[in-house]
Amino acid sequence: MALDLKNLLQDLDEARILELRDKLDDFYPQDIAEEYPKLEEKEKDLLLEILSDEQISRFIVELSESEIKQFFEKVTDDEITRFSNTMALDDAADILALLDDKRMLNIMSNIQKPVVLKELMSFDPNTCGGIMTPGFISVRADLKIGAALRYLRLKAKETEYEIMYVYVTKKFGELVGVISLRQLFLANDDDLVSDHLVEDTISVKVDEDQEIASNLISKYRFLAIPVINTHDQLVGIITVDDVVDVLEEEATEDIYQSSGINVEADVDTSDYLLTSYLGAYKARTPWLIITLIGQFIASILIAKYDLTIAAIPIAISFMPLLSGLSGNIGNQSTTIIVRGFATGEVDQEKNLKILIHEIITSLLIGLTCALITGVLSFYIYHNLTLSYLIGFSLILSMLLAVILGTLTPIAFRKLNLDPATASGPLITTGIDIISFFVYLTLITKFIHQLV
């Protein structure tokens, strides 16, 4: 059943408030978070009066950054403290980081587990430490299986965290392996945990980029991955639901960057449409200026062939076709490479193999498009030489476009620049210049056979 908060909040009396609070428990926090921004201010205030602290804490973590900041303006520091105390620690750290320094200090002085929260908030939000949760279950390697099981039963009663994996540590918390619940249940009580653990556990460092964790979880189909510090001590885990958020954020960022939109680091990608006009201007203008310069160069290039254009004006009608097809196939190659970097399918050792693959593919596609274009142009204009030149120009332009579209993101990556930035404006502008130069040069070379 779909949630319609506006309708539910109409004509409420005191008797129906408790009923509505119980009814909203039947909906996921994500459903409430989706409807919350649609409410009028009075309706939002009423909803916050109806919901319990626990209900509020569950849905506000699902809001976007801008919506959370607007929410903070409606509530007091004491209320934020209460809400935060009912949240998972990693969620509390994420939302408290959005407060200004004065309010944060006031809240941290009254909140539960301030030391753990301060540690979580000290990590860069884009690192593994920034997205990890300290809620994990670990047992010592030197424990007997029976003692480990008793310990797990006690921990399961004390915490609300899901037990996905049981990690095994040494005396001072150094990660040495992982053991499944199945192995624990099947082992003899007098066996040591170290006799049954799986060593060489894949883990990430607290200061590594969050994308590394998301790639590992995606590659190995983990439910969670352990996070260790510089001393190899287990300090947290990153769960699959954290990775979903990372993948969505990274995909959105790549889409923006591939279109030449550079969203600032402190702006949530989901909030881009809510940024100020100046912020949107700064995000979108730089690459458009580069595109403008590139297209200006292309116009100068075309102007240098004014005599050719004057002699054979019909040839100019095919220039949009050349730049369009070449730009499309070039951007396809760039998209494949950028996506390959993200999924780990493309690495330095495969660069030459990938380039050869793209060149052969472009030649096959170019021959097909050239044959179709040549036949159609001959049918319309009855000029065999023009048809040959258009076809050959198309093959050569598409080949060069693929080489540019493949090598540019690879070069960007070698220079430690985001390869997603390579597509869109930069590739398109470069391909326009290449295709115009190739076509007009060939037309000029054979002009006497065309006139």
Side-chain angles (χ1 to χ4, degrees), residues 40-57:
E40 302 294 335
E41 290 304 313
K42 290 183 178 180
E43 293 170 331
K44 289 180 180 180
D45 293 338
L46 179 57
L47 178 66
L48 296 180
E49 290 179 15
I50 292 171
L51 296 178
S52 65
D53 289 351
E54 188 177 348
Q55 288 173 316
I56 293 173
S57 68

Side-chain angles (χ1 to χ4, degrees), residues 210-222:
Q210 60 182 2
E211 199 170 352
I212 294 175
S214 65
N215 289 339
L216 288 172
I217 289 179
S218 177
K219 179 179 180 179
Y220 295 106
R221 301 293 189 268
F222 291 148

Side-chain angles (χ1 to χ4, degrees), residues 111-298:
I111 205 166
Q112 297 174 4
K113 300 184 178 179
V115 175
V116 179
L117 280 171
K118 286 178 182 177
E119 183 181 7
L120 289 174
M121 293 167 67
S122 68
F123 296 112
D124 186 310
N126 294 320
T127 63
C128 293
I131 63 169
M132 74 176 183
T133 172
F136 59 87
I137 300 294
S138 65
V139 295
R140 287 263 298 273
D142 55 0
L143 275 181
K144 290 186 176 181
I145 294 293
L149 285 172
R150 290 193 295 272
Y151 172 76
L152 288 177
R153 291 190 189 101
L154 289 173
K155 292 297 291 184
K157 292 177 181 178
E158 295 174 2
T159 180
E160 295 181 356
Y161 293 111
E162 292 289 334
I163 303 177
M164 299 178 181
Y165 302 107
V166 179
Y167 297 99
V168 183
T169 60
K170 293 182 182 178
K171 182 178 180 180
F172 295 105
E174 303 96 325
L175 179 67
V176 293
V178 64
I179 186 169
S180 69
L181 290 174
R182 184 175 187 275
Q183 289 170 314
L184 283 169
F185 290 141
L186 293 178
N188 294 322
D189 284 353
D190 291 331
D191 290 351
L192 292 176
V193 170
S194 58
D195 296 332
H196 298 275
L197 65 84
V198 176
E199 296 180 342
D200 302 322
T201 305
I202 296 174
S203 61
V204 291
K205 298 279 190 181
V206 288
D207 56 352
E208 287 185 312
D209 192 282
Q210 60 182 2
E211 199 170 352
I212 294 175
S214 65
N215 289 339
L216 288 172
I217 289 179
S218 177
K219 179 179 180 179
Y220 295 106
R221 301 293 189 268
F222 291 148
L223 294 176
I225 191 168
V227 183
I228 58 177
N229 61 19
T230 53
H231 303 292
D232 294 332
Q233 294 170 318
L234 180 62
V235 292
I237 60 172
I238 296 173
T239 58
V240 67
D241 59 318
D242 297 320
V243 166
V244 171
D245 295 335
V246 173
L247 291 175
E248 181 180 353
E249 181 182 333
E250 295 287 346
T252 304
E253 184 178 333
D254 286 346
I255 290 170
Y256 280 147
Q257 290 184 338
S258 68
S259 300
I261 301 175
N262 295 317
V263 181
E264 294 180 4
D266 59 348
V267 176
D268 186 2
T269 52
S270 63
D271 289 337
Y272 170 72
L273 291 175
L274 300 177
T275 58
S276 65
Y277 295 118
L278 182 59
Y281 170 83
K282 289 166 61 179
R284 299 171 68 171
T285 302
W287 279 105
L288 290 177
I289 297 297
I290 293 174
T291 304
L292 184 152
I293 295 170
Q295 294 297 339
F296 189 74
I297 293 171

Side-chain angles (χ1 to χ4, degrees), residues 314 317-318 321 372-384 386-387 390:
I314 195 65
S317 64
F318 288 94
L321 180 148
I372 296 171
T373 305
V375 169
L376 289 175
S377 64
F378 180 75
Y379 177 78
I380 297 172
Y381 299 110
H382 306 290
N383 189 321
L384 188 59
L386 178 63
S387 298
I390 293 170

